[in-house]
Amino acid sequence: MRLKPVRPTAKPSKRARLARAFDSLGILDRMLSLRAKLTTRSLMVLTYHRIADAAEVGELDPDVRETDARGLSEQIKVVKQHGALVSLPDVRRFLQGGPLPSNAVMLAFDDGYRDCHDVALPILKTAGATATFFVPTAYPDAGRIFWWDRIALLLGRCQKRTLALAYPYPIMLDLGHDPLGAKRLLLSLVKRTPGLDLARFFDELSRAADVTLDPAEERSIAARTIMGFRDVRALADAGMSVASHSHEHRVMATMTPEEALSDLHRSRRVLSDVLEQDVRTVAYPVGHQVQGPFVRVARDAGFDLGFTNATGVCMRDQADLLNIPRIAMGPELEGAMFKALLIARP
């Protein structure tokens, strides 16, 4: 039973159809031009993960792909035409009271897929644009694929219609009738289960699915899809900002404060050594806001600026420096819908 990748519906939504109609009349471009004349104190941070053709994702998780090279190039062109792309240093100055251009946008790339270096970087350089790359430091050169990609791969290769897992608690998954629901449940378990033993979880999933990922094959997949530290350094050498995305890419709320502190501190130390500069910015895995004791954890790990995800636009007078909001991109936000997104900002 192979998981089918999520594809856009054949019939666009009413909102998408309306956006396309307005765009065909030039209305969206005129609205963007008007916005550029307004004084704004808001910052829009757009979060990407993979820039690739759908076919290139293969057996890995298709839901982390937002657009392809052409789509990213077009989005950068729209931002530059009607606003300004800003860097991480620009954002820091803005949050400290400095100026920011109208319709300011910061581009962020999470997870450290090889697409960041091989696809996004040449596009950014050609456009004279900048971006910030958030890297989970346990993965470059480690020969391991990300946990969400492992879930997608194991389910995609599974030939069973039902899976019975005993850990972290008894679960019955119906791959025959709801393969995407099964995938969502497994992802949620990793994102939300406190104290989850990830190695044990994957041993249990492999057993239940009767699928084993050979270490040599995993190393090969990782080498093709995840940047090495040489690539990470190349991003910084090209003028891009590189920051932490934790070490193991575990959701902080599923860890004890002590575990989270160790993870974040290790990430910061590794990146600072690789880049030969002090790294003090982090984007939290899965984008959850830090609350309670984890606010102090982020600060004690040495970070003074932290980014969440799928949480909106940053208004300076309301900014929490350890919970700066971002907007999650996706295939549904291409073309006219991307212009509509930029128009709708506060």
Side-chain angles (χ1 to χ4, degrees):
M1 184 71 194
R2 288 196 174 273
L3 266 178
K4 295 181 180 179
V6 178
R7 293 184 175 87
T9 56
K11 186 177 180 180
S13 68
K14 181 178 179 180
R15 185 177 177 186
R17 293 197 302 272
L18 188 61
R20 290 177 185 177
F22 283 166
D23 194 33
S24 68
L25 297 172
I27 295 174
L28 297 186
D29 285 319
R30 288 196 292 272
M31 293 177 70
L32 282 169
S33 295
L34 287 173
R35 278 210 60 99
K37 298 176 182 179
L38 300 176
T39 300
T40 177
R41 293 188 175 182
S42 68
L43 167 71
M44 180 177 282
V45 184
L46 305 180
T47 307
Y48 300 84
H49 297 81
R50 294 207 67 177
I51 308 300
D53 295 330
E56 294 174 351
V57 176
E59 295 181 277
L60 305 184
D61 190 347
D63 293 333
V64 296
R65 171 195 170 272
E66 286 85 12
T67 188
D68 55 18
R70 179 178 178 180
L72 179 63
S73 296
E74 291 177 350
Q75 289 167 6
I76 290 174
K77 181 180 178 180
V78 170
V79 173
K80 294 191 69 177
Q81 182 177 355
H82 299 288
L85 285 169
V86 296
S87 67
L88 182 58
D90 292 332
V91 170
R92 282 185 168 275
R93 286 190 289 270
F94 165 67
L95 295 171
Q96 294 167 1
L100 200 66
S102 294
N103 294 346
V105 174
M106 179 180 123
L107 302 181
F109 294 84
D110 286 3
D111 297 341
Y113 281 100
R114 182 166 290 281
D115 310 330
C116 292
H117 176 273
D118 295 354
V119 182
L121 180 60
I123 292 171
L124 291 163
K125 291 170 68 175
T126 297
T130 186
T132 302
F133 296 84
F134 293 96
V135 178
T137 50
Y139 290 90
D141 302 319
R144 290 195 295 151
I145 63 175
F146 297 120
W147 52 261
W148 54 94
D149 282 333
R150 183 182 288 271
I151 288 173
L153 184 147
L154 292 178
L155 291 183
R157 292 184 180 183
C158 179
Q159 299 299 312
K160 296 183 177 181
R161 297 185 64 84
T162 59
L163 295 185
L165 278 70
Y167 180 81
Y169 52 81
I171 307 168
M172 185 66 70
L173 301 175
D174 188 347
L175 294 183
H177 290 91
D178 190 12
L180 296 180
K183 173 190 163 187
R184 285 192 293 267
L185 176 58
L186 293 173
L187 291 172
S188 180
L189 284 174
V190 178
K191 294 177 182 179
R192 301 183 183 279
T193 305
L196 181 72
D197 183 330
L198 198 58
R200 181 181 174 188
F201 170 75
F202 277 117
D203 284 345
E204 179 67 6
L205 180 57
S206 293
R207 180 203 61 76
D210 195 23
V211 177
T212 301
L213 178 59
D214 180 78
E217 184 187 10
E218 181 173 13
R219 287 192 295 272
S220 177
I221 296 172
R224 295 195 307 270
T225 57
I226 300 175
M227 288 190 295
F229 279 119
R230 178 178 293 181
D231 303 311
V232 173
R233 180 61 186 261
L235 294 174
D237 290 344
M240 305 296 148
S241 294
V242 179
S244 169
H245 198 37
S246 83
H247 185 64
E248 290 284 353
H249 201 292
R250 299 297 299 275
V251 178
M252 288 177 64
T254 67
M255 308 166 75
T256 66
E258 293 76 20
E259 290 169 338
L261 177 60
S262 176
D263 181 274
L264 289 185
H265 186 267
R266 184 175 183 182
S267 172
R268 179 169 171 259
R269 185 178 68 249
V270 169
L271 267 186
S272 295
D273 288 346
V274 168
L275 302 175
E276 298 181 338
Q277 58 183 258
D278 191 17
V279 174
R280 303 189 68 83
T281 303
V282 60
Y284 310 112
V286 188
H288 293 177
Q289 293 182 320
V290 290
Q291 300 175 338
F294 295 103
V295 174
R296 181 170 181 176
V297 163
R299 189 175 294 116
D300 288 350
F303 297 106
D304 57 14
L305 190 61
F307 288 87
T308 60
N309 200 29
T311 46
V313 174
C314 175
M315 307 297 292
R316 180 163 57 195
D317 56 354
Q318 303 170 10
D320 173 354
L321 295 186
L322 287 176
N323 281 297
I324 301 298
R326 300 189 294 173
I327 294 174
M329 295 299 291
E332 74 281 1
L333 291 173
E334 293 189 323
M337 287 298 290
F338 181 74
K339 294 180 181 180
L341 171 68
L342 298 181
I343 292 168
R345 67 187 295 169

